[in-house]
Amino acid sequence: MNRLLRTAILGSLALSITACGGSKRPEADLAASKVTTIGVNSYLWRASLDTLSFMPLLQTDSNGGVIVTDWYVNPNTPTERMKVTVTVLDQDLRADALRVAALREVNRTGQWVAAPVQAATVQKLEDIILTRARDLRRAAIAN
C-alpha cells in the first residue's frame, strides 16, 4: 500500500510539472524593462543617446547610467554653448528615473563665461527623452 501511494504521488507530481512546462507563460512586462546587459533602463538609455546625438559625447557609462556631452555650439548662436549631463537612475521606465543637468556659457569678448540655464530647457530635454523612451517601448511591444 505504501508503494502504491508513493507511485500515485510521484505520478501526480510528474503530471503537474509536465502541465506547467507545456503551457505558455505570460510574457514579461516590457514597461518594467529589467535590463539585460546594461545597468539601467534600456529605453531611457537609448532615448537619451538618441536625443543627444547631435552633441559630441565626452563620456558614456551604461552601467552607471551617465552620459556627459562635450560643449556644443549651435551654429545659429555661435556666442553660446551648452554642455549636458543625463543620468538614468533606475532600471524601470519612470519619469523620476531620469535626471538632466545642463551648463551654459556665453562668449564675452573672447572669454567663455558661465550663464544661467533656463529651467524650461532642462525640463524640455527630460520630456523629449521620456517621450522617446515610451515610443521605443511601444515599438518593442508591437514586435
Side-chain angles (χ1 to χ4, degrees), residues 8 26 31 44 48 59 63 65 75 89 104-105 109 114 123 136 140:
L44 287 173
S48 298
Q59 173 189 353
N63 287 322
L89 303 167
R104 178 177 168 251
E105 291 183 346
T109 62
Q123 184 63 47
L136 290 169

Side-chain angles (χ1 to χ4, degrees), residues 19-124:
C20 288
S23 66
K24 185 175 180 183
R25 293 184 178 186
E27 292 183 23
D29 180 18
L30 291 176
S33 181
K34 298 294 186 193
V35 294
T36 54
T37 59
I38 63 175
V40 295
N41 182 275
S42 60
Y43 300 123
L44 287 173
W45 179 256
R46 185 163 162 217
S48 298
L49 288 173
D50 289 352
T51 302
L52 299 175
S53 64
F54 68 96
M55 300 179 84
L57 297 179
L58 192 61
Q59 173 189 353
T60 58
D61 176 11
S62 61
N63 287 322
V66 178
I67 300 169
V68 180
T69 70
D70 203 354
W71 290 105
Y72 170 74
V73 178
N74 184 336
N76 296 329
T77 54
T79 59
E80 179 180 311
R81 67 183 186 174
M82 297 279 297
K83 185 175 191 171
V84 177
T85 301
V86 174
T87 309
V88 179
L89 303 167
D90 200 345
Q91 292 185 348
D92 292 330
L93 177 52
R94 300 186 333 229
D96 63 350
L98 181 70
R99 183 184 314 139
V100 176
L103 297 173
R104 178 177 168 251
E105 291 183 346
V106 292
N107 194 334
R108 295 217 176 104
T109 62
Q111 295 281 8
W112 290 105
V113 180
V117 177
Q118 293 181 351
T121 302
V122 172
Q123 184 63 47
K124 182 71 174 169

